[in-house]
């Protein structure tokens, strides 16, 4: 009789363990599904996209505190050469020589994360920096070296929470695209000269995967939220319009484009 009780108790224990293991497996799958759902319900891709840290440098630029993002971003623009030069240092100084030429910049602001504080987009056609204002500090959330993908920038615009940089050729254009997915930087590349090739974070993907992140119509609609192109007068804190919705040659203040 004792032996029989032991056998019954042993079976009960095994049954309990099996039920417990099934519960753990279901709970784990449920958590994983929630994680996927969170990415899918965002405007970004649920694909597995590997970030490459050297392309997506996150750095707190200075210990200087600012009362507002307008003052902070003006400082970044006025000192754009220093800020973008820092990217040159990261990429081992491989950038094209720009010494002796006036500093011309693509400049724009857009609230990509809809928190009420816009991000600053800044490019000298060689380097691209995206900056945010967080807890009274300026922080770069992305830094890209254009020459790793294409030669120079002929235009820049944004749509939604994506930025598109365009390099024009005689028979088509190349597009360098940037956005974020669940806090991770995602970079896309598309070239009209290789229309069957789609790239996300330096890995070739399918058309469906690419357009799940970057809208092709938005990408090619370069007049959509186009960034202005200016020559910087650092001494006076002014900008001469080279190309934008303003008149070419007009001189405007930095504050005017931060409104």
């Amino acid at each position: 009789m004792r032996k029989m009780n032991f056998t019954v108790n042993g079976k009960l224990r095994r049954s309990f363990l099996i039920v417990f293991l099934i519960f753990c497996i279901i709970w784990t799958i449920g958590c994983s599904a929630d994680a996927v759902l969170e990415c899918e319900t965002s405007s970004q891709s649920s694909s597995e996209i590997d970030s490459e840290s050297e392309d997506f440098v996150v750095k707190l630029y200075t210990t200087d505190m600012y009362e507002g993002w307008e003052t902070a971003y003006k400082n970044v623009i006025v000192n754009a050469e220093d800020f973008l030069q820092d990217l040159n240092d990261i990429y081992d100084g491989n950038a094209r020589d720009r010494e002796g030429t006036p500093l011309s910049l693509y400049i724009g602001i857009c609230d990509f994360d809809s928190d009420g504080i816009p991000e600053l987009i800044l490019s000298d056609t060689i380097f691209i920096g995206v900056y945010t204002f967080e807890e009274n500090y300026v922080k770069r959330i992305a830094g890209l070296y254009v020459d790793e993908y294409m030669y120079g920038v002929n235009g820049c615009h944004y749509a939604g929470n994506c930025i598109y940089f365009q390099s024009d050729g005689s028979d088509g254009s190349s597009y360098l695209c940037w956005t974020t997915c669940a806090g991770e930087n995602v970079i896309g590349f598309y070239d009209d000269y290789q229309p069957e090739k789609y790239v996300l974070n330096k890995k070739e993907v399918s058309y469906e995967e690419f357009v799940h992140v970057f809208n092709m119509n938005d990408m090619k609609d370069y007049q959509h939220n186009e960034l202005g192109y200016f020559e910087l007068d650092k001494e006076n804190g002014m900008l001469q319009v080279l190309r934008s919705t303003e008149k070419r040659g007009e001189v405007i203040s930095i504050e005017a484009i931060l409104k």
Side-chain angles (χ1 to χ4, degrees):
M1 181 69 78
R2 289 176 177 238
K3 186 174 181 181
M4 182 176 176
N5 286 338
F6 176 80
T7 303
V8 171
N9 290 337
K11 289 181 177 179
L12 288 173
R13 282 196 295 270
R14 285 195 296 273
S15 298
F16 174 79
L17 286 173
I18 292 170
V19 171
F20 179 75
L21 287 172
I22 292 173
F23 171 80
C24 290
I25 291 170
I26 293 173
W27 182 82
T28 302
I29 293 173
C31 290
S32 300
D34 288 342
V36 172
L37 181 62
E38 181 180 355
C39 191
E40 287 181 341
T41 54
S42 72
S43 60
Q44 306 308 324
S45 173
S46 59
S47 305
E48 292 185 2
I49 303 173
D50 298 325
S51 294
E52 300 191 17
S53 58
E54 66 270 20
D55 283 340
F56 306 118
V57 183
V58 177
K59 178 180 178 182
L60 193 64
Y61 254 115
T62 69
T63 56
D64 298 333
M65 295 184 68
Y66 301 90
E67 291 185 1
W69 62 265
E70 297 92 338
T71 304
Y73 290 168
K74 179 179 179 180
N75 179 65
V76 174
I77 295 170
V78 169
N79 297 287
E81 190 166 12
D82 295 331
F83 277 76
L84 294 172
Q85 182 62 35
D86 181 73
L87 282 167
N88 190 30
D89 294 338
I90 292 169
Y91 288 99
D92 299 323
N94 291 325
R96 286 170 275 130
D97 184 15
R98 60 187 172 196
E99 186 176 352
T101 60
L103 186 60
S104 300
L105 301 166
Y106 285 96
I107 306 172
I109 56 173
C110 177
D111 188 3
F112 293 108
D113 52 10
S114 302
D115 65 350
I117 299 176
E119 278 64 51
L120 172 67
I121 311 162
L122 190 67
S123 175
D124 62 353
T125 77
I126 301 173
F127 294 107
I128 301 165
V130 183
Y131 308 87
T132 192
F133 185 68
E134 185 177 286
E135 298 181 350
N136 298 103
Y137 292 97
V138 174
K139 183 179 182 180
R140 185 176 64 221
I141 56 178
L144 306 176
Y145 178 30
V146 175
D147 281 9
E148 287 200 327
Y149 302 90
M150 57 193 191
Y151 192 83
V153 175
N154 298 119
C156 176
H157 65 280
Y158 62 87
N161 61 345
C162 301
I163 309 175
Y164 301 97
F165 298 90
Q166 180 176 334
S167 181
D168 296 325
S170 57
D171 297 311
S173 300
S174 301
Y175 301 89
L176 180 60
C177 321
W178 174 88
T179 190
T180 60
C181 176
E184 296 294 330
N185 285 287
V186 181
I187 183 170
F189 183 72
Y190 176 79
D191 191 344
D192 286 335
Y193 293 90
Q194 301 180 71
E196 301 302 319
K197 185 176 181 180
Y198 305 90
V199 177
L200 291 178
N201 287 358
K202 295 186 177 180
K203 292 186 177 180
E204 193 165 343
V205 298
S206 68
Y207 168 81
E208 289 75 16
E209 289 175 300
F210 186 87
V211 298
H212 196 65
V213 183
F214 298 108
N215 184 294
M216 295 288 282
N217 291 329
D218 287 345
M219 182 181 73
K220 295 202 172 191
D221 183 10
Y222 62 89
Q223 293 181 338
H224 186 78
N225 295 322
E226 187 176 11
L227 269 66
Y229 189 46
F230 308 92
E231 184 176 304
L232 174 65
D233 179 355
K234 180 176 180 178
E235 184 177 347
N236 297 307
M238 302 295 286
L239 299 165
Q240 182 177 5
V241 178
L242 300 178
R243 184 172 67 249
S244 78
T245 55
E246 306 291 338
K247 293 182 179 179
R248 182 182 178 90
E250 184 176 345
V251 176
I252 62 174
S253 66
I254 293 175
E255 288 86 353
I257 63 171
L258 294 177
K259 292 181 179 179

